[in-house]
Amino acid sequence: MITTEQREKLRGWFAGRLPDDLFEELAEVTVDREEITVIGRIPAPHLAEGVSAAEREAAVEGRIQEFRERTRETRIGVAREAEHRFRRKVSWGVECGAERALFTHIAAPVMTRLRQPERQVLDTLIAGGVARSRSDALAWCVRLVQRHADDWLAELRESLENVQRVRAQGPDAEPEDSQDTQDTSADSD
């Protein structure tokens, strides 16, 4: 778990490190134990009034793809620095108009043990065509909980930050620069 202060420092580092003309604004920087996701706002394409939804969608998709290709080397350079500094993979995404697109990002494996009633829930989702596998079904369940429990999860995260603050004041506290991170060395896009 990362504290609010660590998250703000991370966001500040990206705000200061990214070239001024890369994004219109730095929309979001999220972080967990494995990954930092940086999402910036890019300008929507200029279109004539009254264009169809299909044309607008294709134009936004084209703008996102153009941005991704044009900025690849810059983003990789920043990602390498951040990965070395923060010991987490860096993933990128953009907001363009009402569309949000994530580029290459990691899907971290998570091991769990489930009892039969829990497995039956997953198997029902598979049988119903909601998911292809138990892994997909479990990811679907997590997204469902995330969508409907944002307030509760935010309160829980706040409580965890308070616990970390109290721990940090203890006699065995690590220096402030130490973080519970893992080393990764692959490039990201």
Side-chain angles (χ1 to χ4, degrees):
M1 174 86 184
I2 187 168
T3 66
T4 300
E5 182 180 351
Q6 290 170 328
R7 188 177 299 112
E8 289 170 353
K9 285 182 178 180
L10 186 77
R11 183 179 171 85
W13 185 87
F14 276 98
R17 176 57 185 87
L18 293 173
D20 288 337
D21 61 346
L22 186 65
F23 298 125
E24 285 184 329
E25 73 173 299
L26 184 58
E28 184 178 317
V29 177
T30 56
V31 62
D32 66 11
R33 290 187 299 187
E34 292 85 20
E35 180 178 29
I36 300 167
T37 303
V38 179
I39 299 175
R41 176 159 287 289
I42 62 174
H46 298 289
L47 300 171
E49 292 236 3
V51 298
S52 69
E55 184 176 345
R56 183 171 308 284
E57 183 180 323
V60 167
E61 186 178 310
R63 174 62 52 91
I64 291 170
Q65 190 61 36
E66 183 276 333
F67 173 86
R68 183 178 185 185
E69 295 302 321
R70 177 174 45 85
T71 63
R72 182 181 311 272
E73 292 304 316
T74 300
R75 290 183 293 106
I76 287 174
V78 172
R80 282 186 182 138
E81 286 180 46
E83 288 171 4
H84 178 73
R85 181 182 181 111
F86 301 111
R87 299 198 180 292
R88 290 172 171 88
K89 296 290 296 162
V90 176
S91 300
W92 299 92
V94 294
E95 291 179 352
C96 183
E99 185 72 24
R100 177 179 271 208
L102 291 176
F103 304 155
T104 306
H105 53 282
I106 65 172
V110 178
M111 177 76 108
T112 186
R113 296 186 188 282
L114 300 176
R115 298 186 193 284
Q116 188 179 37
E118 297 158 336
R119 293 190 311 267
Q120 287 174 334
V121 169
L122 300 181
D123 292 342
T124 300
L125 292 172
I126 295 167
V130 173
R132 294 181 310 246
S133 66
R134 284 181 172 174
S135 177
D136 284 346
L138 188 55
W140 184 89
C141 291
V142 169
R143 287 190 302 271
L144 182 66
V145 168
Q146 179 184 23
R147 186 175 305 135
H148 295 291
D150 282 340
D151 293 338
W152 181 81
L153 289 172
E155 189 174 333
L156 181 61
R157 286 184 188 109
E158 186 178 312
S159 294
L160 289 171
E161 287 181 17
N162 288 332
V163 168
Q164 283 187 330
R165 265 193 294 278
V166 171
R167 277 190 192 144
Q169 296 170 3
D172 296 332
E174 294 181 20
E176 216 172 285
D177 290 343
S178 285
Q179 294 178 1
D180 182 20
T181 60
Q182 69 180 30
D183 186 39
T184 57
S185 58
D187 294 340
S188 68
D189 170 42

